[in-house]
Amino acid sequence: WKVGPALMASMVCSTALTAQAAPDPCSLASNEEFQRAYEVDPRIGIIPDVPTKTEMVWGPHCDYQSGSITLFTKKTPSAELDRVLGLTKARKQRDPVQGLGQRAFYTVIYPGDEYREQGFLAVFLGPRIVTFSMDAHHDESVEATRPRLEGLAKLVLPRLK
């Protein structure tokens, strides 16, 4: 996996979870489900891995081998998302995504960085936001992650209700 999640991990909140704790994002998709959404090469097969949960300032975050799922539940979720998009130097372009939550958009984080560039999908669900990030395969553009991220979101979103 790439270094992008390390930046997020460096911003870990050291305080304990509050009574309004969000669901564990690592429980929203298994390692196998995430890899299937990533469209892992069937010649390789599913690579055993344990997703890693980290409590961030903005809410719980789960790192998978080829991406992440994050819940923005603390402070002001939309302001925190904007802050994270700034930290990751996300593209200013936010492509609307239909059929997911109240509002959803796709963009690219760490654009042009061959080691950290990822597709990024944000879905607004009432007072919280769930985001998905995913690496592109080595032989394709990062935009190829969008349908994979949308498929992953369609799998995960019903589990948040």
Side-chain angles (χ1 to χ4, degrees):
W1 57 286
K2 298 181 181 182
V3 181
L7 170 67
M8 291 187 181
S10 70
M11 297 175 219
V12 174
C13 176
S14 61
T15 60
L17 287 173
T18 65
Q20 301 173 8
D24 177 352
C26 293
S27 71
L28 298 174
S30 69
N31 174 55
E32 182 175 337
E33 290 171 325
F34 200 101
Q35 287 189 50
R36 287 193 193 289
Y38 177 66
E39 297 176 355
V40 68
D41 186 333
R43 295 171 297 175
I44 297 171
I46 301 299
I47 301 165
D49 189 41
V50 177
T52 307
K53 181 183 175 194
T54 307
E55 191 60 33
M56 309 303 281
V57 172
W58 46 82
H61 170 85
C62 185
D63 278 319
Y64 293 84
Q65 194 167 35
S66 55
S68 68
I69 298 175
T70 304
L71 296 170
F72 287 76
T73 59
K74 297 180 180 176
K75 297 187 177 187
T76 307
S78 59
E80 289 298 303
L81 174 60
D82 287 342
R83 188 167 73 90
V84 169
L85 291 170
L87 291 169
T88 60
K89 299 177 174 65
R91 287 185 185 161
K92 299 295 181 206
Q93 182 176 336
R94 310 281 189 260
D95 297 325
V97 177
Q98 302 301 315
L100 299 175
Q102 298 160 334
R103 190 173 105 223
F105 68 82
Y106 172 85
T107 193
V108 174
I109 57 175
Y110 301 108
D113 185 322
E114 69 177 306
Y115 300 107
R116 299 186 297 174
E117 182 176 64
Q118 292 185 314
F120 186 88
L121 178 67
V123 181
F124 293 72
L125 301 169
R128 63 185 170 192
I129 302 167
V130 60
T131 65
F132 305 87
S133 67
M134 189 176 284
D135 301 332
H137 293 272
H138 297 288
D139 59 345
E140 66 186 10
S141 75
V142 70
E143 284 75 16
T145 62
R146 181 175 172 166
R148 295 182 192 127
L149 287 165
E150 289 179 25
L152 181 61
K154 288 175 182 171
L155 173 76
V156 168
L157 293 176
R159 298 174 182 178
L160 281 168
K161 297 185 179 186

